[in-house]
Amino acid sequence: MPRLVPLPEGHRTQPFAYGSGLAAGLGQKRLRGSDLARPFYGTRDARPEVIRESIRGRCEAYSVRMDAESFFSSVTAALLLGVPLPRRLEVPGKIHVAVVAPRRSVGTAGVVGHKVQLMGEDYWTLDGLRISSPARVWCELAVLLSMRELVAAGDFLIHWRSPLVSREQLTAAARRYPDRRGRVSRRAALEHLDARSESPKESELRTILAVGGIRGLVSNLPVRVGGANYRLDLALPESKIDIEYQGDYHRDPAQWRRDMSRRSRLEADGWAVIELNADDLNNPAELLARIHRIMRVRTHPSR
């Protein structure tokens, strides 16, 4: 088997355009070599495993054919920013690319093209990739997410520890965003954002309860009981009700033991602890009725 012509410097560890390979002295036969991935029309990459396994790798590969008026948008930009998304949106191999109207949207295999209008402060550069700004990403997601999922995405973006955008910036962007689709969801979600939420499911749970008429919820309330410091996922301080979302990590034996001690200490201090999981979120009406009953008992214990 003949040896492959070595790739020139700059083409071995990063993607390159087909034309760039020709200009570097690579022939057409070499550019069809089995060691080179062809993630998109007109691109080559000597890192096939990166293209297969990494959204960033696919974006890097496509970026060699992008112009200054295009940027990664929607689901792709959200994933690059780390925004929590439901798995149904993570389509393998697909990336979202926006071009500014009146140009036509991209029609390349492996790309979901969007023709968009700009609203100001539309994109960032993230580690060399041009992507929708956090405020624009959130607006774009409104047509793909349920309202409570949109709240979870917004909570992540404004989280107090490392905010990527402020609530005020999201509000302003929602007003300026030119696409009318998703307007109702954006407006409703803005009312329920909370920078102290610690997980997407906590955000969804809080939204279900707030929309269902439960007022006075406090996210991650710090309390000290039994000589220990705790944070309550969702607390109703006036009724001393602690509503906890239990994700799968609570199945760890050590975590399970800590949860037991935590619960008994809170209950000894007069708190009612309600532990919920993903199944509870599937029937919001029943969940709300259950929480309301507990609240009535706590408020009127003799009834």
Side-chain angles (χ1 to χ4, degrees):
M1 175 182 257
R3 294 182 61 185
L4 293 170
V5 174
L7 296 173
E9 193 70 29
H11 291 65
R12 300 170 194 164
T13 59
Q14 60 190 27
F16 58 93
Y18 185 87
S20 170
L22 291 176
L26 298 174
Q28 294 184 5
K29 183 176 180 180
R30 179 66 183 92
L31 290 170
R32 293 194 297 269
S34 60
D35 63 322
L36 294 177
R38 288 174 265 186
F40 304 100
Y41 180 79
T43 66
R44 297 293 186 270
D45 200 314
R47 312 165 301 161
E49 70 289 345
V50 174
I51 301 301
R52 284 195 306 269
E53 300 172 8
S54 163
I55 182 73
R56 178 170 182 82
R58 293 195 294 276
C59 289
E60 288 175 346
Y62 187 81
S63 68
V64 301
R65 53 170 289 173
M66 289 178 73
D67 59 32
E69 296 297 318
S70 304
F71 52 95
F72 297 107
S73 65
S74 186
V75 171
T76 299
L79 291 173
L80 290 170
L81 288 169
V83 177
L85 296 178
R87 288 189 178 181
R88 69 177 185 274
L89 295 184
E90 298 178 19
V91 180
K94 293 281 188 178
I95 61 172
H96 292 249
V97 177
V99 299
V100 181
R103 294 174 56 200
R104 296 178 62 183
S105 60
V106 177
T108 301
V111 175
V112 179
H114 303 270
K115 181 171 69 174
V116 304
Q117 295 178 331
L118 299 182
M119 62 180 189
E121 300 180 358
D122 288 273
Y123 47 81
W124 272 16
T125 299
L126 179 68
D127 297 329
L129 296 176
R130 196 163 52 253
I131 69 171
S132 291
S133 67
R136 185 179 181 100
V137 165
W138 190 75
C139 293
E140 291 169 339
L141 291 175
V143 298
L144 300 171
L145 302 179
S146 69
M147 196 272 281
R148 71 194 206 197
E149 290 168 342
L150 190 60
V151 171
D155 285 353
F156 172 86
L157 291 171
I158 68 170
H159 192 271
W160 67 277
R161 283 199 186 93
S162 53
L164 297 176
V165 67
S166 69
R167 179 197 293 267
E168 292 72 25
Q169 287 172 312
L170 286 185
T171 301
R175 285 198 299 264
R176 298 195 315 269
Y177 190 61
D179 193 339
R180 296 176 62 89
R181 296 174 304 158
R183 177 178 292 183
V184 173
S185 290
R186 289 191 294 271
R187 185 180 300 135
L190 283 168
E191 298 180 11
H192 299 292
L193 297 182
D194 189 331
R196 299 200 67 82
S197 183
E198 294 294 338
S199 76
K201 290 302 181 182
E202 281 183 31
S203 297
E204 290 190 41
L205 172 59
R206 190 189 69 250
T207 305
I208 289 172
L209 300 181
V211 170
I214 295 178
R215 301 291 179 256
L217 289 163
V218 179
S219 296
N220 289 287
L221 177 72
V223 299
R224 182 171 178 80
V225 295
N229 294 313
Y230 297 117
R231 282 190 306 165
L232 312 185
D233 285 355
L234 287 172
L236 291 164
E238 290 189 9
S239 305
K240 292 197 79 169
I241 295 175
D242 169 30
I243 304 171
E244 294 290 318
Y245 182 83
Q246 303 290 60
D248 286 344
Y249 88 97
H250 287 272
R251 297 180 183 183
D252 174 75
Q255 182 62 48
W256 176 71
R257 291 193 297 272
R258 287 192 294 270
D259 289 343
M260 288 183 66
S261 298
R262 178 186 187 280
R263 177 173 185 143
S264 65
R265 286 171 179 153
L266 286 167
E267 290 178 340
D269 196 55
W271 286 88
V273 180
I274 305 170
E275 295 179 338
L276 305 175
N277 58 56
D279 289 348
D280 293 296
L281 305 189
N282 294 331
N283 190 345
E286 187 280 330
L287 173 59
L288 283 165
R290 197 189 325 162
I291 302 295
H292 278 296
R293 285 196 302 271
I294 295 170
M295 290 176 66
R296 284 195 297 270
V297 169
R298 300 285 293 181
T299 306
H300 308 287
S302 60
R303 294 186 183 180

